[in-house]
Amino acid sequence: TGICRGLLIEEQRINYIPYSDFSGGWTEANGGRKVASYAMAPDGTKTATSISKTDGSVSGYVRHGTPISVTNGEPLIFSVFAKAGSFNFVEIGTDAFGNGGAGGTFDLSNGTVYSGNGTIENIGGGWHRCILRGDATSTTVTPFLRAKEFGNSNGESHGYHNILAWGAQLETGSNAKFVTSYIPTAGSATTRTPEYAGVQIQPTSSSSGFFFNPNKGTFYTEQYFPWDGSNDAMTRYPVSLRNISILVLYKNSNSNAINTYDNSTALSRTVTSPGLAKLAMGYEQGGDKNISYNGSTTSNTFNGGAWLDNYSEYYGYSANDFIIGNDNNNHAWIKKIAYYPEKMTNGQLSALTENN
């Protein structure tokens, strides 16, 4: 989109399409044609494939050569990077895609969705990422794509007119509620390992690394969330101090609230997502804890009586990382992280997180 949202950290996902660049594993059907390594792809390599049809073929298309195993009823996301050639439209879909995701036609010249329940992202250089979301209606799916001159029909029997395609990706599973970044494959399904960002914590101010005040302070972060919390089955941790359960911001499964915990009571703020989240958490030994999201702040006195030094794992500062993602359970663009060695008041937190 051309917008710099910050450092992207992502959860574990699998691209189940073995040849994401169409160089193998895809079949020409009903007069469809493909020519691999035809043009420059978005990553600067000559790996984009030409998708066209033979002269006189109306409904020619290219499909995956073998069905891909999925779990019936679970979310599916099929995405392809495409660019207009001598044709301006591309249709993508699968044979077992329900709940609004059956298929979609995309206008590559204008960067719009012509029909279907898809979305399209402009990534520059004439390339767009075409995305379909839905639920599997079978235990196998067969992705396909078709070059089209017009959006409203298979039609156009003009041979050898084409679009360019690259980066096919099929994601599935209970947590596959949104598309993730491209995972290249070269002969087999490929897994992206979970990611997180961390800052090492040191026990004294004279040590190298980041020093924090264990008695009071404020953590602040700005993140872009792609997930809709109420429809996302994963528990996520936008901010956490490793091994310290009361200095954590988290959302539970299928919840649109960000919470923090004081060993007895969970403080909660409702998050309007996806979008930019400005989150802050303040703490003070013997006092209270507060949490703020985009200008909305709440606080509570510590009821549990426990504090950092009451946790056995905390002795010796075994909490050695301030992390985004809790090792693997977050997915966001990190725009900013800040730490203040003083606990801010509710008013100060609201001003800090005001989403102007």
Side-chain angles (χ1 to χ4, degrees):
T1 62
I3 299 174
C4 181
R5 290 179 170 176
L7 173 66
L8 175 62
I9 56 170
E10 297 190 281
E11 64 191 60
Q12 179 174 299
R13 287 284 182 90
I14 300 173
N15 184 358
Y16 286 93
I17 294 178
Y19 290 93
S20 58
D21 63 356
F22 301 94
S23 61
W26 292 80
T27 298
E28 299 169 343
N30 292 357
R33 296 181 72 248
K34 70 180 182 69
V35 180
S37 303
Y38 183 86
M40 299 299 288
D43 68 348
T45 61
K46 193 177 180 181
T47 53
T49 293
S50 171
I51 303 295
S52 61
K53 57 188 79 174
T54 57
D55 198 24
S57 169
V58 173
S59 59
Y61 63 100
V62 173
R63 63 174 174 82
H64 199 264
T66 56
I68 298 172
S69 297
V70 297
T71 299
N72 190 6
E74 285 203 339
L76 286 177
I77 301 176
F78 178 41
S79 60
V80 176
F81 294 85
K83 182 178 181 179
S86 48
F87 278 174
N88 290 327
F89 292 84
V90 63
E91 179 187 3
I92 70 172
T94 83
D95 61 340
F97 217 172
N99 194 23
T105 297
F106 301 84
D107 184 340
L108 301 175
S109 62
N110 294 318
T112 57
V113 179
Y114 180 84
S115 64
N117 197 31
T119 57
I120 188 168
E121 298 177 354
N122 184 350
I123 66 166
W127 285 93
H128 296 83
R129 194 177 193 187
C130 305
I131 304 164
L132 286 179
R133 300 176 179 86
D135 298 322
T137 59
S138 177
T139 56
T140 62
V141 295
T142 304
F144 72 87
L145 65 162
R146 175 185 287 118
K148 303 174 74 173
E149 183 177 6
F150 306 107
N152 59 354
S153 67
N154 292 333
E156 317 92 36
S157 60
H158 313 298
Y160 311 112
H161 289 273
N162 72 336
I163 59 94
L164 301 178
W166 178 83
Q169 185 154 302
L170 182 70
E171 303 172 68
T172 187
S174 60
N175 293 323
K177 302 290 188 177
F178 51 87
V179 70
T180 67
S181 66
Y182 174 48
I183 305 170
T185 63
S188 62
T190 300
T191 301
R192 178 185 50 242
T193 57
E195 303 166 341
Y196 74 95
V199 180
Q200 187 176 15
I201 293 173
Q202 296 296 338
T204 68
S205 58
S206 61
S207 303
S208 60
F210 165 67
F211 175 75
F212 88 107
N213 184 348
N215 297 314
K216 59 181 176 180
T218 301
F219 292 101
Y220 173 75
T221 181
E222 296 178 12
Q223 300 182 35
Y224 282 92
F225 295 144
W227 37 266
D228 175 1
S230 60
N231 193 36
D232 177 37
M234 182 174 285
T235 298
R236 301 188 181 277
Y237 298 85
V239 174
S240 62
L241 200 65
R242 194 195 300 269
N243 297 333
I244 301 300
S245 62
I246 60 172
L247 287 187
V248 173
L249 294 180
Y250 64 93
K251 88 161 191 71
N252 288 322
S253 172
N254 296 319
S255 169
N256 62 353
I258 293 291
N259 312 294
T260 189
Y261 184 60
D262 71 355
N263 202 44
S264 175
T265 304
L267 305 179
S268 179
R269 294 289 86 183
T270 300
V271 173
T272 304
S273 60
L276 176 63
K278 294 184 178 181
L279 299 168
M281 172 178 54
Y283 61 94
E284 184 171 9
Q285 181 179 16
D288 63 5
K289 191 173 184 182
N290 51 8
I291 178 176
S292 185
Y293 161 72
N294 288 3
S296 176
T297 303
T298 188
S299 64
N300 190 57
T301 301
F302 279 95
N303 294 321
W307 187 241
L308 300 184
D309 53 7
N310 292 346
Y311 287 85
S312 60
E313 72 269 23
Y314 183 72
Y315 288 109
Y317 281 78
S318 63
N320 56 2
D321 287 301
F322 169 56
I323 57 178
I324 305 292
N326 201 34
D327 290 40
N328 65 353
N329 285 351
N330 197 36
H331 191 111
W333 288 266
I334 306 170
K335 185 177 180 181
K336 183 177 181 179
I337 303 172
Y339 166 74
Y340 304 90
E342 296 288 337
K343 178 185 174 293
M344 294 189 183
T345 66
N346 285 5
Q348 290 171 326
L349 276 197
S350 294
L352 182 65
T353 64
E354 195 73 42
N355 200 359
N356 296 323

